Amino acid sequence: MKLFRGFLTLLITLICTLQWSSLAFNSKKSYIVYLGGHNNGLEASKIKESHFEFLHSIVGSKVSVDEAMIYSYDKHINGFSAILDEDAAAKLADHPDVVSVFPNKGLKLHTTHSWDFLKLESNGVIDSSSLWRKARFGTNIIIANLDTGVWPESQSFSDDGYGPIPSKWKGGCENQTSVACNNKLIGAKYFNKGYMALYGALSTSMNNARDHEGHGSHTLSTAGGNFVSGVSINGIGIGTAKGGSPRARVASYKVCWPQTITGGECTEADILKGFDVAIEDGVDVLSVSLGAPPSDYFQDAIAIASFHAIAKGITVVFSAGNDGPAPGTVTNVAPWMITVGASTIDREFQAFVELRSGPRLKGLSLSKALPADRLYPLLNAADAKAADASMTNAMLCKEGSLDPNKVYGKILVCLRGGNGRVEKGKVALLAGASGMILCNDKSSGNEIIADPHFLPATHITYADGLRLYAYLSSTNDPLGYITHPAPVVNIKPAPSMAAFSSRGPNIITPGILKPDITAPGVNIVAAFTQDSKSDIPYNIESGTSMSCPHVSGVVGLLKNVHPDWSPAAIKSALMTTANSRDNEGEPMMDASKSEANPFSRGAGDICPNRAVDPGLVYDLSVNDYLDFLCASGYNQTLLQKFSGYPYECPESNYNAILDLNYPSITVHKLSGTVNVTRKLKNVDKPGIYLVRVRSPVGISVDVEPKVLNFQKQGEVKKFQLTVKADGTKVIKGYVFGELIWTDGKHQVKSPIVVSVA
Ligand SMILES: *[C@@H]1O[C@H](CO)[C@@H](O)[C@H](O)[C@H]1NC(C)=O
Ligand SMILES: *[C@@H]1O[C@H](CO)[C@@H](O)[C@H](O)[C@H]1NC(C)=O
Ligand SMILES: *[C@@H]1O[C@H](CO)[C@@H](O)[C@H](O)[C@H]1NC(C)=O
């Protein structure tokens, strides 16, 4: 969401960055020095001291240590961030106590009817089978996000009817004057030293957890916002806004700041601190809608921090990224994370283009109505080109490319691409347009988005755009109208995958399927910011940023019903009960209208009412993840530091990637015959489960045993898959199948992904 970030801020950031790097720190950069887990039982102040002493031993002078240190991570994550020259960084990296040293990188944010669609309610009625009732709407679960802060005055965070804060909570609001905590919003803290070290100084007026952007309030209220009725945007009724765990307590850890010219807005140094503090404060669920291209697990602050969180039983949910539909774009790929793609829901905000003659074109919009009920002159923006502008820029409605004399009073037709969708509307409005029709370019195809534009506007598909451009060139006096947007539900087919949702395969560990799951992430309504720049209490946004907190909210519900489930058991329940079919009973589609495969949808769309009762789960312990890391090539010495306790790698002949007890099955580069083992744990009454396999094309998958007879709750049973090419077909690329265990009542489903060497 780039709309409300001013250009001025970017310019200031640019200037500050230049000064900062050229004057203040010649050839110095900010680094993370990661020392692993804590195993020495030192109290926090001693740990901090030890970090200063350690850095002192490397850089020499005491004064320079105080200047260099950014943060000491002294609670659950062991390490520090500091501004260092390359020599010092190299020395630290060679030190035996150090796990890894890596530059502090910048990350980007992955920019309500949805709960009805997920069957937690039905036409506003919440029946007894709803997980909302079973889970008491998430009462007393603490859900936090790491994001752009929070708008504390939003009704989504009001504490009407909330009792005292759960006694285990150690957090709070850092500054009650800037962000006031209540019994609903129970924490708000901010971290910006890492941002300033990388991008330059922020004004001191920014030193608070207030959300000037909207993204953080949107994601936090999607996960845990109150029921707020009568929400509308630009006069269009939306209904009741609410989060996945509407009665949860929420906390905000602000780690993201104004977007910089490189697009970075959050940094690893701040995120590590946010995690360290949130774990200590006692959160139950962490929702993180940001990321960077994935890197080695020990050069990746998010992978490191989330490992320490799950080791404390906290479930950590991440967005998959918005770099789809290209393959290999999925980020946040460690197996201990839940990685969430974005899909559509069955509601649209439709605003039609009506032409004096010709077809009626369906568009999507959340804009205001046109002032008068009459036909308006239409104008191709290319024909409104300013004298000194290029035709391409004019067609795209870029800033400074339009001639106001030509645009005034017309509905301007702009092409998608090149600049932001909403920015185009702003440019059109400033040039005097009465309205805007945004046409998809070829690469965006059918993907249209309901944006709250600055002027009456709608957004149409590529095919309809071609029809519109044809009409414009067919007449000297083109006239048209944009109808006022109206919500329409029961849209079919839904869900389908959003084109922007990042896709697998996982480029760090191809043997683990990512994303894990998908959730609503297109046209999601949630709380926003009433900062002076954007006085919108509720706003509609799209992105995996929006789908991630849907899962976080549902995790809150699952934790209330099953407080004893591990983060891996929760993930398994979500994945094995997910829906890979749409509301017409057909396999879920991609935006391109081809069948969505596990690289886009993971296991499928979350199904909360089923996830609470999965029958069986694929559970995992922290040691299983360490075994996985051994198999990935990290040695025992390093992993002992990482975990903070004595640990031994398994025997070398054990394949801990293939056999990681993950709820999906990936055989990467199959050659000959491969055996895969899994263990299922019964979390329900005794039951007899039979196996069913939908084998990938050209692959035979044999399962032994074919029946699992669970005689009591908690019992664990092992099975083995034997996977080999069946010789019927030459296999290229990836092929997909499904494994299902069923007792008649439950279906425990896992995607199967195979590539051949
Ligand atoms: C707390 O916030 C207020 C209002 O933004 C500000 O004036 C004050 O300086 C802040 N206090 C601290 C200790 O940062
Ligand atoms: C373990 O790995 C680290 C980091 O790659 C390396 O520095 C160290 O020498 C290795 N130790 C052993 C015992 O192989
Ligand atoms: C797979 O398992 C079967 C049965 O347990 C065993 O006979 C076979 O040797 C195994 N194959 C491989 C490649 O490990």
Side-chain angles (χ1 to χ4, degrees):
M1 186 67 202
K2 300 213 172 76
L3 166 57
F4 302 111
R5 295 184 185 111
F7 291 101
L8 195 59
T9 336
L10 293 186
L11 195 61
I12 291 168
T13 313
L14 172 60
I15 293 165
C16 293
T17 312
L18 291 176
Q19 283 181 345
W20 187 266
S21 49
S22 58
L23 303 179
F25 291 99
N26 273 331
S27 81
K28 290 192 176 187
K29 285 200 303 194
S30 54
Y31 288 90
I32 315 281
V33 180
Y34 176 54
L35 305 173
H38 290 284
N39 58 354
N40 43 18
L42 283 181
E43 53 189 274
S45 67
K46 294 272 164 50
I47 294 167
K48 198 168 178 172
E49 235 171 71
S50 76
H51 292 159
F52 276 80
E53 278 166 20
F54 183 36
L55 185 55
H56 187 197
S57 74
I58 302 286
V59 302
S61 115
K62 179 92 177 62
V63 181
S64 46
V65 170
D66 290 343
E67 269 177 19
M69 190 68 86
I70 302 172
Y71 293 112
S72 162
Y73 308 113
D74 53 7
K75 296 184 173 71
H76 302 274
I77 300 165
N78 189 6
F80 54 88
S81 46
I83 296 170
L84 303 167
D85 59 30
E86 276 176 31
D87 288 352
K91 256 194 224 167
L92 282 162
D94 283 344
H95 194 282
D97 289 351
V98 172
V99 171
S100 57
V101 175
F102 51 97
N104 175 30
K105 290 189 292 291
L107 295 91
K108 293 183 196 179
L109 294 165
H110 289 151
T111 307
T112 15
H113 174 82
S114 46
W115 302 112
D116 192 342
F117 185 56
L118 293 176
K119 306 256 183 327
L120 284 170
E121 59 182 345
S122 175
N123 296 323
V125 179
I126 303 158
D127 71 24
S128 61
S129 70
S130 167
L131 174 55
W132 264 347
R133 288 218 185 279
K134 291 182 189 152
R136 294 173 293 123
F137 301 92
T139 298
N140 286 343
I141 290 293
I142 302 169
I143 303 182
N145 71 353
L146 274 79
D147 210 299
T148 61
V150 62
W151 193 256
E153 291 81 11
S154 170
Q155 281 186 65
S156 290
F157 309 123
S158 122
D159 69 350
D160 272 356
Y162 283 80
I165 294 168
S167 57
K168 68 166 191 175
W169 181 241
K170 291 197 255 170
C173 278
E174 199 160 14
N175 182 341
Q176 280 285 351
T177 316
S178 57
V179 173
C181 277
N182 59 34
N183 284 344
K184 169 78 179 177
L185 174 63
I186 62 173
K189 297 181 178 176
Y190 66 93
F191 308 90
N192 58 18
K193 290 187 201 165
Y195 178 95
M196 293 197 279
L198 191 59
Y199 296 124
L202 283 166
S203 131
T204 52
S205 68
M206 297 286 263
N207 280 339
N208 58 63
R210 214 162 241 289
D211 184 6
H212 301 289
E213 217 283 337
H215 191 274
S217 305
H218 201 278
T219 56
L220 192 60
S221 66
T222 300
N226 287 320
F227 287 97
V228 179
S229 61
V231 167
S232 70
I233 296 175
N234 281 330
I236 304 147
I238 307 288
T240 302
K242 59 256 169 182
S245 277
R247 298 289 292 174
R249 317 291 174 133
V250 295
S252 161
Y253 296 84
K254 179 172 181 175
V255 296
C256 300
W257 304 91
Q259 196 180 38
T260 61
I261 43 164
T262 60
E265 47 214 313
C266 339
T267 70
E268 291 185 299
D270 293 329
I271 290 168
L272 269 179
K273 192 66 180 175
F275 263 92
D276 204 28
V277 173
I279 298 169
E280 179 69 8
D281 286 349
V283 305
D284 296 311
V285 185
L286 270 168
S287 192
V288 190
S289 290
L290 50 86
S295 48
D296 176 277
Y297 296 121
F298 291 99
Q299 309 278 317
D300 177 346
I302 290 196
I304 290 168
S306 55
F307 176 86
H308 292 292
I310 64 112
K312 297 281 181 233
I314 299 166
T315 293
V316 196
V317 188
F318 287 93
S319 46
N322 298 341
D323 296 317
T329 45
V330 62
T331 188
N332 299 322
V333 297
W336 45 87
M337 303 169 168
I338 299 179
T339 311
V340 188
S343 40
T344 63
I345 55 173
D346 68 344
R347 180 184 61 187
E348 285 181 351
F349 295 94
Q350 299 179 346
F352 289 83
V353 175
E354 287 173 349
L355 303 173
R356 182 163 58 175
S357 65
R360 192 169 187 251
L361 309 173
K362 189 185 92 177
L364 300 184
S365 175
L366 271 170
S367 310
K368 313 187 244 308
L370 280 164
D373 192 7
R374 62 168 170 86
L375 292 174
Y376 285 73
L378 299 176
L379 181 65
N380 182 343
D383 297 331
K385 185 180 98 60
D388 55 349
S390 76
M391 189 69 93
T392 313
N393 283 351
M395 199 160 182
L396 295 170
C397 296
K398 286 201 173 171
E399 204 179 356
S401 68
L402 301 174
D403 178 353
N405 293 322
K406 296 179 184 156
V407 171
Y408 184 79
K410 305 213 168 87
I411 294 178
L412 197 63
V413 180
C414 301
L415 186 66
R416 188 171 177 187
N419 56 346
R421 300 184 306 271
V422 173
E423 194 185 321
K424 291 173 196 285
K426 192 174 180 183
V427 171
L429 179 68
L430 291 175
S434 294
M436 176 184 70
I437 302 168
L438 175 60
C439 302
N440 265 354
D441 54 353
K442 193 167 185 188
S443 70
S444 333
N446 287 321
E447 181 177 90
I448 50 178
I449 294 177
D451 288 307
H453 289 281
F454 284 103
L455 79 177
T458 191
H459 180 185
I460 61 177
T461 64
Y462 175 64
D464 285 344
L466 293 180
R467 288 190 190 107
L468 178 60
Y469 282 115
Y471 169 68
L472 294 182
S473 51
S474 72
T475 164
N476 290 328
D477 186 21
L479 291 175
Y481 186 71
I482 301 170
T483 65
H484 193 211
V488 177
V489 294
N490 293 322
I491 296 293
K492 288 179 177 165
S496 63
M497 288 307 298
F500 61 73
S501 189
S502 287
R503 304 305 205 259
N506 172 348
I507 61 164
I508 301 297
T509 308
I512 299 290
L513 175 66
K514 290 284 173 173
D516 294 305
I517 200 156
T518 182
V522 178
N523 296 332
I524 302 303
V525 175
F528 215 58
T529 171
Q530 290 184 273
D531 181 87
S532 55
K533 276 181 286 176
S534 63
D535 188 2
I536 308 180
Y538 286 84
N539 196 10
I540 189 155
E541 299 233 58
S542 296
T544 53
S545 278
M546 282 66 236
S547 58
C548 162
H550 275 87
V551 174
S552 309
V554 172
V555 168
L557 301 174
L558 296 178
K559 284 213 164 203
N560 246 7
V561 181
H562 302 291
D564 55 328
W565 281 8
S566 69
I570 289 173
K571 172 155 76 177
S572 175
L574 287 166
M575 286 174 68
T576 62
T577 60
N579 207 348
S580 57
R581 296 192 167 261
D582 62 29
N583 54 7
E584 295 179 316
E586 296 296 325
M588 207 168 147
M589 293 288 175
D590 265 330
S592 63
K593 304 283 177 207
S594 55
E595 190 174 327
N597 67 39
F599 285 150
S600 62
R601 63 168 161 82
D605 215 38
I606 52 164
C607 187
N609 295 338
R610 285 207 300 253
V612 70
D613 180 23
L616 309 173
V617 296
Y618 295 94
D619 207 355
L620 283 164
S621 67
V622 169
N623 258 27
D624 293 318
Y625 295 123
L626 296 175
D627 291 353
F628 158 84
L629 289 166
C630 286
S632 304
Y634 303 100
N635 67 38
Q636 186 166 305
T637 322
L638 180 142
L639 294 175
Q640 286 191 358
K641 285 192 205 117
F642 183 44
S643 61
Y645 61 81
Y647 161 78
E648 278 181 37
C649 278
E651 312 241 328
S652 59
N653 62 6
Y654 168 68
N655 192 338
I657 296 180
L658 209 52
D659 290 342
L660 182 72
N661 203 35
Y662 214 70
S664 57
I665 293 154
T666 303
V667 180
H668 180 57
K669 297 197 170 161
L670 172 70
S671 81
T673 301
V674 165
N675 291 336
V676 183
T677 60
R678 287 288 185 273
K679 286 173 283 186
L680 277 165
K681 180 177 175 180
N682 182 25
V683 291
D684 195 20
K685 291 187 270 295
I688 299 171
Y689 285 79
L690 307 183
V691 77
R692 210 166 70 218
V693 181
R694 205 163 51 72
S695 296
V697 173
I699 300 288
S700 97
V701 179
D702 186 45
V703 182
E704 279 305 326
K706 294 182 173 34
V707 179
L708 296 176
N709 184 353
F710 291 94
Q711 301 186 340
K712 56 177 195 292
Q713 196 171 336
E715 198 176 356
V716 175
K717 292 200 177 282
K718 213 169 175 171
F719 64 93
Q720 179 177 291
L721 293 89
T722 303
V723 180
K724 58 174 191 255
D726 65 11
T728 60
K729 221 175 164 137
V730 178
I731 294 155
K732 289 202 208 89
Y734 295 89
V735 284
F736 307 99
E738 193 173 36
L739 172 76
I740 305 167
W741 286 99
T742 180
D743 64 349
K745 178 177 171 221
H746 306 94
Q747 287 210 318
V748 186
K749 295 179 290 179
S750 296
I752 301 174
V753 180
V754 178
S755 73
V756 172

